Every structure is written in C-alpha cells, then in structure tokens.
Amino acid sequence: MKLEKILDKLGSLEKNSFIKIIDNIISKNPQNSIEIDKILSSSDKGLKSVDSRNVSNIFALISSEFTEYLKCEFQETNSQLDILIDIIIRDGNCLMRQDWFSRLYEKEIKNLKLKIKTLNTELLNEKSELSESRKRDYRIYKACLSTAYNNDIANNRDAKITADEHSIILTLSKQLGLSQEDVKLIKYSILPIKKEEIQDVITNLKNLGVIFYSKKENTIYVADEIVRLLRKVREKEIAEKFYRRTLKLLRDPIINQIAKEHNIDRKLPTSVKIEEIIDQGVSFTDLLTYGIYKEGTNLTEKKKTLNELCEKGLNIPNLKGSTLEDKIQSLIEYFDNIEKDEKVGISIDGFDKMLSELNQSLPKLNKELKEQFELNDEYVLSADYLLDYNIKPRDILDLITKPDMSKFILDNGIKQRGDAILNILDHYKDVENLYLENYANVGYRNLNLLKENGISVKESELGLKFEELTKIIFKGLGFNVDDKFKNKLNTQKDMIDILLNLGNDEIIIVECKTSKERGYNKFSTVSRQLKSYQNLALKNNLRIAKMLLVSPEFSDDFIYDCEMDTEMNLSLITASTLSKIFESFKMSKYQEFPHVLFRDIVINEERIIKALTK
C-alpha cells in the first residue's frame, strides 16, 4: 500500500512517530532542503499540518537520509532488526493484523533456532555435504564475529559490536560470498536469541518509523516506499517476486549448482529449492555475476547468457550497459521501476475477471497464494485486495505451474501460440478501462510509460484520445455529453471540445489540453479560445454554468492569470484530480455529479471527495 494511502487512513497519534523522524531529518538540512521548503511554505504549522500527498512527496525527497538513519539503527547488536525486517519486507507482509504478525515472528524465531542447530552440526560433521572451503568461510566469519562481540567483555564493558567493527564484518561477509541467511544464522549462534513480547516489538518498529500501527483496526501497515528502503538496508536488491521470476527461467542443473553453493538440499523439488534460494537472501548481483554460469565461463559468454535470459525469458530487449555489472544494474533498475509503477499492465476490471476465471479453473490457487504471500484472509482473489499488497497480475501468473497454466489457457479460450503469460495478460487487457487508468499519462503524452503499461498508440492520436477519455469520465459522472447539440453550435472557427447539456438552455463547456512539458502555461492562447466559445454560446441564448479546462497540470503563472481573469467563470482541473473524483463518485450515493462543487479556480479534489463520501 502506498504511503499516501496509509497516511490518509490513520489518525495523527498513529502517524506521530513517523512525522517526528521526518521532522528531525528536515531539521538537519538534507540534500533536497530547497524542494522540501517549497512544500512546507504553504503550511503555517509545519509538517503536522501538511496533507498526506505532500508528506509522501517529502519522504521521497529525504529517502537517502532515511536509509542512512535506518543503517545506524541496524548497528544496535541486540535489536533483532534483521529478523523483523526480513519478515515485513516479504511480498504480502506489508499489511498484517497483530495476531498474524505475532505468529510469523514466533515461527521465524523457531525456524532460526532449528537452522542454527543444523548449521552447528554440519560444521562438526566430517561427512557433511558442505564443502571444506565453505566450512572454512563459515568458521572464519564466526570467529571474527565472536571476537568483535566478546572483546568488550575482556575489557569489562557490555558486549556489543561497534560501528567500525560492523562495517569490517559486513565487508568480510561480502568477500566470503555469504548469504543474508548465513550471516543471520552465524550471528545468532553467538548472540543470545530471545522472543520478545509482540506489543514491544510493534512499539519499537513504530518508533523507528518503519511501520504504522492502528490500534482500532489491530493492523500493521508497511508502506511500499518504506519496504523498498528496508530492502536496501538488508542489501536485497529486488523484491522476492522478481527474484522468483528470474530463477524460474534457469535450468535444473543451474538451480542445483546454486543450491549446492548455499547448503540447500538438492533432493528437494525445484520449486522448493527456488524458495530456499530466495529465503537465504543470496545476493541477486552475485547470482548473476557468478552463480548461474558453468565453471570456466568467460566474460563474453556471461554477457551473452545474461542477454538471452533477459530477452527470451524476461522479455526485456536491449538490456542497457556494456559491462556485465552495468547490465545487472540495469535489470535491477528495470524491476525497481515495475514495482514503483502503480499501473498493473491490465485494467482493474480485467484483473478481477482473470482472478475469477483462475479460481474456476484452478480452485487450489487461492490457498497457494495465501501460503506463498503469507496472507491472513480466507479469500484473497480480489484485485483491490491484492493491489494493496502490491501483488500484480504477472506476480500471480509467475506462481502457476506449466500444466496448470495450459489447463487455464484451454479452459478460457486464450491464444496458445507464443508466450503463455503475455497471451493471458493480453486476453484480459480491457482496453477502455486500461486507457482510463492511464488517463494522466495520455494527458502528459507519455508514450514510453503508456507502452510499458500495455497501451500501443501513435503520438498524433493522443490529443483526440485524451478528449475521448474525458467524455467517458463526464458520462460516468452522470452528465449529458451532448455531441449533437455541440456539433450544431460549432462553427469552422470555434470548435468546442465537450459540451455538457444541463437542460433549460444551461451548459458547461469543457476544453481538453494535453501537454508534454510539465505545467501547462499558455493562458493567453487558451483564454482567447475559451472567450470565443463563450461568445458563441451567448449568441445562441445559452447560460454558461461553468467553463472547465482539463490538463495534466498547470503552472503557477497559469493559475495566477486565471485568478486575475474576470470575464470567464473558469475552473482548472488536472487529469489526475478528475480521475480520482470519478472513482469516488462511482462509490457515492449520487446518480449525477453535483456540478456546483466545481467552484474553485483550481478544483480541490480532497474537498470534492469529502463531499461525495458524506
């Protein structure tokens, strides 16, 4: 769930710890302080009175400082932060009830103790499957960590690992090629591991600013933006779902090779070995640098293998970068951008239809999803529900086995030739709703983002498409979009985009403007155009209830000029605001949108949404 949405749901007390941390970072003059001051300048009472969207914008501006703050907290030896963060950054754990989190925490401690016992036995067992070189790596790391922790006792001080020692130990673990799980097991084989009271755990995480907790709903929230930062702290470069997507493309001998390197039982089924590799926290960069190639593979062959994996397996043509390191970084950035994108590749309606038909063809899928993503509700096959957990259509299809995929495709008449997953996504695309979900991107004429979200359109068609979508939205708001009357009024010189007929010779004129540049700023041009439409309407004895200008955004100068204009009853509305009003209207009690709410110079979406939900 996005940070803005979480902040909107919670009261001031529940947000207090997080706001205090952000305030503290701002007070230390962060890198983007000028941009932050611009946001705060509109508020007299500081950060506490800033709306959720702007708090979210400020958090994005101080994300690097917030990450550094978390890294400092991580150096507290007895904090159990590594255990707790590994739970809350797993796919599906960003939204949990307290009892479910308690169960996951208890299970994690129990599993950790069992794994520590197994590792200690393996290190002493001469017939262990662990190679002698791997045993040596573990022993070296364990000895160094033990010295760093216990040398304080010899000097009559509390046992702890200092910041300097921590950075050396971290470097050592990387050079030895240890996974996050290896590091954790060795750490807790030296440090005492103790299960804390769950309320204390929640309070500590809340005070650190990494979770939000609603007592009323008994629910823990972890914002998507914070999950990404916590992954950086744990040095997990990509989400588990993208790691799984990549591993599933590898042949069994390669999976076995990785399993052997990281002490994973090679007799396990391939799907289980893949989950074990992910759980181990094996570095994605290390995996693509060394782990997926046969011994003796040269650099040119490695690059060729990685290119083929991306082009044929992940459908990413022309992976950027000339060196192997650059290519791997490009792939990480690609996955990062997909995760940040709020769009799902198909429409929400299409997603719901896909889930419904998956449930009919594969009745066990609901249970499998619950287990895979550790979801605590009974029925989880709902688009809105899964999107709150940042689980998208492709993430679900990645979990389905080939036989089940074939059955689903046959059951639902989906194209069989070519890539099965892409064929399924195309089948459920629902173009009109997909366009509506990308309404602001059409307004911005953002061809690249539209393409990434599954929309193929020519740039020359975007202006007309933006107008068509605006019409669909106003029809959805219950207005009479009267094209017949508009065409009768229009002349060769004056061509109104959209006319809303309110009856009794009363109309609303809507003008649509796309803009590639940020901040629409051509007021003089558009005002002449609108005034001529106004004159045209008045000549025909029509009363203009309102004139609306719809664009992706407006510059400050444009808004100022509009405020100074005394001749037109004009309001400005951004594409994203109109889209959000439309979504709220669909769930309101109204059959027709009360147009009197269009009374600001720049339409205030929060005020209108509040009015609609009363």
Side-chain angles (χ1 to χ4, degrees), residues 206-342:
K206 181 173 165 279
N207 290 340
L208 281 171
V210 297
I211 69 165
F212 297 91
Y213 178 61
S214 168
K215 269 190 181 177
K216 185 182 174 184
E217 295 177 12
N218 208 21
T219 300
I220 290 160
Y221 298 91
V222 195
D224 296 342
E225 296 92 327
I226 291 174
V227 168
R228 285 194 287 274
L229 295 191
L230 291 173
R231 270 200 228 111
K232 281 184 186 174
V233 172
R234 291 297 286 139
E235 299 197 346
K236 294 185 176 182
E237 300 113 317
I238 58 170
E240 291 174 0
K241 56 190 179 185
F242 301 130
Y243 208 146
R244 184 180 300 111
R245 188 179 298 179
T246 307
L247 288 171
K248 283 183 80 174
L249 298 169
L250 303 177
R251 293 180 300 111
D252 280 356
I254 300 297
I255 295 293
N256 283 330
Q257 181 180 301
I258 301 162
K260 183 182 178 184
E261 179 67 20
H262 294 281
N263 195 27
I264 296 165
D265 187 352
R266 281 167 287 163
K267 292 171 191 163
L268 292 168
T270 300
S271 59
V272 178
K273 281 184 283 199
I274 284 171
E275 295 308 318
E276 284 287 317
I277 292 166
I278 295 167
D279 289 344
Q280 285 268 353
V282 177
S283 162
F284 188 68
T285 296
D286 286 355
L287 186 91
L288 298 183
T289 307
Y290 316 107
I292 64 170
Y293 314 102
K294 292 177 186 173
E295 198 173 332
T297 304
N298 64 37
L299 190 57
T300 304
E301 288 169 336
K302 282 183 178 182
K303 286 199 276 188
K304 186 183 175 187
T305 301
L306 183 58
N307 282 335
E308 284 177 359
L309 179 74
C310 292
E311 287 172 20
K312 294 178 182 176
L314 296 167
N315 295 300
I316 309 168
N318 306 318
L319 190 67
K320 291 177 186 174
S322 53
T323 66
L324 186 65
E325 292 79 10
D326 289 343
K327 286 179 181 293
I328 293 168
Q329 189 54 43
S330 291
L331 181 56
I332 291 168
E333 286 169 9
Y334 169 81
F335 284 136
D336 194 39
N337 288 333
I338 290 177
E339 191 182 15
K340 284 178 187 173
D341 188 5
E342 292 182 39

Side-chain angles (χ1 to χ4, degrees), residues 58 64 90 137 158 170 218 279 295 416 481 508:
I58 288 170
S64 57
R90 279 185 210 137
D137 292 340
D158 288 337
L170 189 63
N218 208 21
D279 289 344
E295 198 173 332
Q416 295 178 53
V481 178
I508 292 174

Side-chain angles (χ1 to χ4, degrees), residues 355-592:
L355 291 169
S356 172
E357 292 180 356
L358 275 168
N359 192 39
Q360 287 170 20
S361 289
L362 311 171
K364 291 181 182 176
L365 183 65
N366 186 67
K367 187 184 174 194
E368 288 167 0
L369 270 184
K370 272 170 58 68
E371 289 172 0
Q372 181 66 64
F373 293 115
E374 297 183 323
L375 303 169
N376 55 329
D377 288 279
E378 275 311 306
Y379 185 77
V380 300
L381 295 174
S382 153
D384 286 335
Y385 177 87
L386 291 171
L387 289 173
D388 275 345
Y389 290 88
N390 204 13
I391 299 167
K392 297 175 183 175
R394 176 71 195 253
D395 306 329
I396 291 158
L397 298 175
D398 280 336
L399 298 174
I400 300 171
T401 61
K402 281 185 180 177
D404 282 348
M405 189 81 79
S406 299
K407 181 183 185 304
F408 175 65
I409 285 169
L410 283 170
D411 285 354
N412 293 282
I414 297 164
K415 190 171 82 173
Q416 295 178 53
R417 295 183 71 179
D419 186 288
I421 288 177
L422 294 182
N423 287 344
I424 292 169
L425 293 174
D426 193 55
H427 184 78
Y428 292 99
K429 193 171 276 185
D430 185 359
V431 176
E432 184 177 289
N433 278 313
L434 187 58
Y435 265 112
L436 284 171
E437 287 164 25
N438 282 275
Y439 179 53
N441 289 330
V442 174
Y444 277 123
R445 308 182 76 85
N446 194 334
L447 278 174
N448 289 336
L449 204 47
L450 290 169
K451 192 175 179 182
E452 280 175 30
N453 291 329
I455 292 174
S456 180
V457 63
K458 293 176 183 173
E459 187 170 6
S460 58
E461 297 169 354
L462 288 172
L464 190 58
K465 181 55 70 176
F466 189 61
E467 188 180 313
E468 284 172 11
L469 294 170
T470 308
K471 278 185 186 179
I472 290 167
I473 291 173
F474 277 110
K475 281 178 184 174
L477 290 169
F479 286 105
N480 174 12
V481 178
D482 198 336
D483 282 341
K484 197 172 177 182
F485 188 31
K486 180 192 79 171
N487 294 336
K488 190 178 170 184
L489 275 180
N490 279 351
T491 66
Q492 285 186 334
K493 185 185 170 189
D494 298 318
M495 305 282 286
I496 295 169
D497 283 348
I498 300 170
L499 187 143
L500 309 180
N501 193 340
L502 304 177
N504 298 320
D505 293 329
E506 192 174 20
I507 63 168
I508 292 174
I509 293 172
V510 182
E511 180 68 11
C512 306
K513 295 291 181 188
T514 60
S515 177
K516 220 171 192 177
E517 298 163 12
R518 292 273 160 177
Y520 193 71
N521 58 9
K522 299 169 184 172
F523 185 77
S524 58
T525 307
V526 79
S527 66
R528 281 196 300 273
Q529 196 177 357
L530 289 171
K531 280 169 188 171
S532 66
Y533 297 162
Q534 180 176 265
N535 292 334
L536 179 67
L538 294 173
K539 275 180 194 174
N540 285 274
N541 300 315
L542 297 171
R543 181 175 171 269
I544 302 169
K546 174 61 70 178
M547 298 182 86
L548 289 170
L549 178 61
V550 187
S551 187
E553 64 177 76
F554 303 94
S555 69
D556 292 342
D557 288 343
F558 191 100
I559 293 167
Y560 176 78
D561 289 341
C562 184
E563 287 171 338
M564 293 299 104
D565 187 276
T566 56
E567 295 177 39
M568 293 185 292
N569 182 13
L570 175 63
S571 288
L572 311 177
I573 185 164
T574 67
S576 62
T577 292
L578 184 56
S579 187
K580 285 175 185 174
I581 289 169
F582 181 40
E583 290 306 311
S584 294
F585 175 79
K586 285 193 279 189
M587 294 190 279
S588 75
K589 62 186 179 185
Y590 294 96
Q591 296 299 309
E592 185 180 328

